[in-house]
């Protein structure tokens, strides 16, 4: 598959910019999740679950951003 070939030969030159955009988008998702909870669309358990998932995603993005910065040097 074409995507597999590209994944094996990563080009990290544009990765920092793309990962920054993903981080900003995730921050907007977090704001929306909080707003939905405050408006009563999520109960405390649902909010905790979604918050945990977004935190885990943020941790992954942070690690990828660090790696991309190192690879780009």
């Amino acid at each position: 598959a074409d995507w597999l070939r590209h994944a094996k030969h990563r080009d990290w030159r544009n990765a920092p910019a793309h990962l920054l955009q993903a981080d900003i988008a995730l921050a907007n998702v977090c704001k929306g999740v909080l707003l939905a909870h405050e408006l009563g669309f999520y109960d405390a358990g649902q909010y905790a679950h979604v918050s945990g998932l977004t935190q885990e995603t943020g941790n992954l993005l942070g690690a990828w951003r660090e790696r991309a910065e190192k690879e780009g040097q």
Side-chain angles (χ1 to χ4, degrees):
D2 203 32
W3 62 269
L4 184 57
R5 192 170 351 138
H6 290 294
K8 288 181 181 178
H9 305 286
R10 293 186 182 129
D11 182 2
W12 290 98
R13 288 177 293 188
N14 295 324
H18 293 298
L19 291 169
L20 177 60
Q21 290 174 348
D23 207 10
I24 292 168
L26 182 62
N28 288 328
V29 168
C30 291
K31 290 176 189 176
V33 168
L34 177 60
L35 179 61
H37 173 63
E38 290 175 348
L39 293 174
F41 291 104
Y42 295 141
D43 63 30
Q46 291 170 319
Y47 177 69
H49 177 71
V50 174
S51 294
L53 293 174
T54 56
Q55 181 177 5
E56 187 175 334
T57 304
N59 292 341
L60 288 170
L61 278 172
W64 293 334
R65 286 181 69 190
E66 286 179 19
R67 182 175 175 188
E69 289 173 8
K70 288 178 187 175
E71 295 284 334
Q73 294 178 353

